[in-house]
Amino acid sequence: MNQDQLKQAVAKAAIAEIEPHLESDSIIGIGTGSTANFFIDELARIKNEFDGAVASSNATAERLKKHGIPVYDLNSVAGMEYYIDGADETNHHLELIKGGGGALTREKIVAAVAKKFICIADQSKKVDILGAFPLPVEVIPMARSYVARELVKLGGDPVYREGFTTDNGNIILDVFNMDITAPKQLERDINQLVGVVTNGLFACRPADIVLLGTADGIERLE
Ligand code: 5RP
């Protein structure tokens, strides 16, 4: 199986996980990226079994609408049972690096609201220690140089993601070579820097379930 087939298999597994629990008024939080896109395409097949979705990016909102799935503003929903999203890395504690697609802030907000965060990924995303993937940090544009200097003090090598603006109008610094042996502490430390909107560590609020597409089937971490 190639990587896309693994992503599609894990998207189907996430549907199987949530479908028995959906009700006509259910709202589902949806992440961003290629794996989330496979999930959206599968979700469209059962769109009559729930009310609608909250999107973590403009791109996801567009894809949902194209499938005829109603998209709600997060402020207009009381809560949601599930948030489904991909990841750039996961460790065995279900702590994640996200934000390769630059949607980390809205992803973190929707994940915070959901009762259960189901992360879906192919097997290449599972690591022992987070950090081979550069850690994305969303930053208010005028704070870019200041935050970059502070990230160097924290031990990282930040690189400005050229030509990219987030849905919130901000920039991304991708931080290479960061020691992420204490993910929760690092998540808090980076978020303390003035000018940082948020960083792509999902450790303080990790996934509740990680489903991994592997050549031997779906691996479940919980
Ligand atoms: C976007 C994300 C994505 O979930 C992450 O980049 C994984 O993407 P893909 O499913 O395309 O591998 O965090 O901000």
Side-chain angles (χ1 to χ4, degrees), residues 58-76:
N58 295 340
T60 287
E62 281 313 305
R63 197 175 188 98
L64 287 163
K65 284 180 198 162
K66 272 193 191 137
H67 280 300
I69 298 172
V71 177
Y72 289 93
D73 185 301
L74 182 61
N75 292 307
S76 71

Side-chain angles (χ1 to χ4, degrees), residues 13 22 24 35 59 65 119 122 128-129 131 136 139 180 212:
L22 293 179
S24 57
T35 317
K65 284 180 198 162
C119 177
D122 67 86
D128 288 330
I129 296 176
V139 178
I180 314 186
L212 292 168

Side-chain angles (χ1 to χ4, degrees), residues 3 7 31-38 56 83 85-89 97-105 107 119-122 125 133 136 161 200 202:
Q3 203 176 18
K7 288 178 182 184
T32 298
S34 57
T35 317
N37 283 344
F38 279 114
S56 66
Y83 177 62
D85 197 0
D88 299 301
E89 284 184 349
I97 286 183
K98 290 185 45 55
L104 58 157
T105 299
E107 291 172 340
C119 177
I120 52 175
D122 67 86
K125 308 292 182 70
F133 191 91
R161 199 181 290 184
F202 284 56

